[in-house]
Amino acid sequence: MIDLPFDEEDIENAHELSAKIGALPGSHTGGIGQPAGLLAEAVLCEFLGGTSTVDSNREFRSNFDFVAFDKRIEVKTKRRTCPPQPNYAGSIPTEQMDRQAADFYAFVSIQFEQKENSSPKIYRIPKKITWCAICDPRFFMTNAERFKPGDESGTAGYRQSRDGYSLNYARMGQPQDWLDHMRLARENK
């Protein structure tokens, strides 16, 4: 796992972009979690030296988040109040898998200082952003477990709200290994 640098400006930019575009179709939080997702995408894109798929008018141009090392990356973000662990799982709702065209899924965790137990949950004050795992869609689908609404998953007893798939971070590619491989491949071109 790799901790990603971020600052107050990154947080403000994510909130501004989220307000501009509104809740995306299929959002199960009605857009409440969207600033966190946008923050994770921007921070990882910058860390990898990638090119965002959000244009200068802050409009989305594709069905993945950014390009880095000539690979299309789709970021999947989890909001939490504790540090991520290797046995935690990354998940993808079924309806998102049908419309996304990424070469890799990057799983990112944002640890917050506070959480309100409302429905949906509201998280406040990001304190740490961690790139937890990465894998290609074929590996994910071959190895992930299917879940349905109401299913309990993980050690925290989280109840799923919709159909999807999940896979433990430890079973996926580790970010540093992937990054080293991509850098080496670029050097050998």
Side-chain angles (χ1 to χ4, degrees):
M1 294 189 188
I2 298 175
D3 290 337
L4 302 172
F6 70 101
D7 59 25
E8 194 62 38
E9 183 178 352
D10 294 322
I11 296 167
E12 289 171 14
N13 288 340
H15 279 280
E16 287 175 14
L17 178 56
S18 181
K20 181 185 184 308
I21 62 177
L24 296 175
S27 171
H28 74 286
T29 65
I32 289 174
Q34 187 167 282
L38 294 169
L39 175 62
E41 292 165 14
V43 167
L44 184 58
C45 181
E46 184 176 341
F47 179 78
L48 294 176
T51 303
S52 175
T53 60
V54 178
D55 67 20
S56 59
N57 295 320
R58 297 188 171 194
E59 299 287 337
F60 288 99
R61 296 185 314 227
S62 68
N63 50 4
F64 54 91
D65 295 321
F66 64 88
V67 175
F69 299 101
D70 296 322
K71 303 295 180 189
R72 297 168 299 178
I73 310 293
E74 173 65 28
V75 178
K76 298 298 173 190
T77 307
K78 289 280 191 192
R79 300 174 297 150
R80 53 176 45 102
T81 55
C82 60
Q85 302 298 318
N87 65 326
Y88 287 9
S91 61
I92 304 175
T94 304
E95 74 267 8
Q96 290 181 7
M97 297 182 84
D98 295 338
R99 62 181 155 82
Q100 293 174 335
D103 297 312
F104 289 95
Y105 294 129
F107 294 88
V108 176
S109 172
I110 301 183
Q111 184 181 347
F112 289 83
E113 289 187 21
Q114 301 171 359
K115 173 179 73 173
E116 293 177 18
N117 286 325
S118 56
S119 182
K121 293 179 177 72
I122 298 172
Y123 292 81
R124 301 193 188 283
I125 311 170
K127 103 179 176 182
K128 189 174 184 184
I129 301 177
T130 306
W131 180 16
C132 301
I134 189 162
C135 70
D136 69 70
R138 184 177 307 143
F139 180 89
F140 187 86
M141 283 304 301
T142 302
N143 293 282
E145 294 180 29
R146 176 83 191 253
F147 59 79
K148 296 187 183 294
D151 286 354
E152 190 173 298
S153 68
T155 56
Y158 174 78
R159 290 230 179 260
Q160 298 293 341
S161 61
R162 53 190 176 166
D163 288 330
Y165 297 85
S166 67
L167 182 63
N168 285 0
Y169 296 143
R171 295 191 56 207
M172 296 187 233
Q174 296 309 298
Q176 190 62 57
D177 295 340
W178 183 87
L179 186 56
D180 292 345
H181 176 77
M182 290 294 124
R183 287 176 174 157
L184 185 62
R186 183 173 57 195
E187 289 172 10
N188 291 329
K189 272 191 171 181

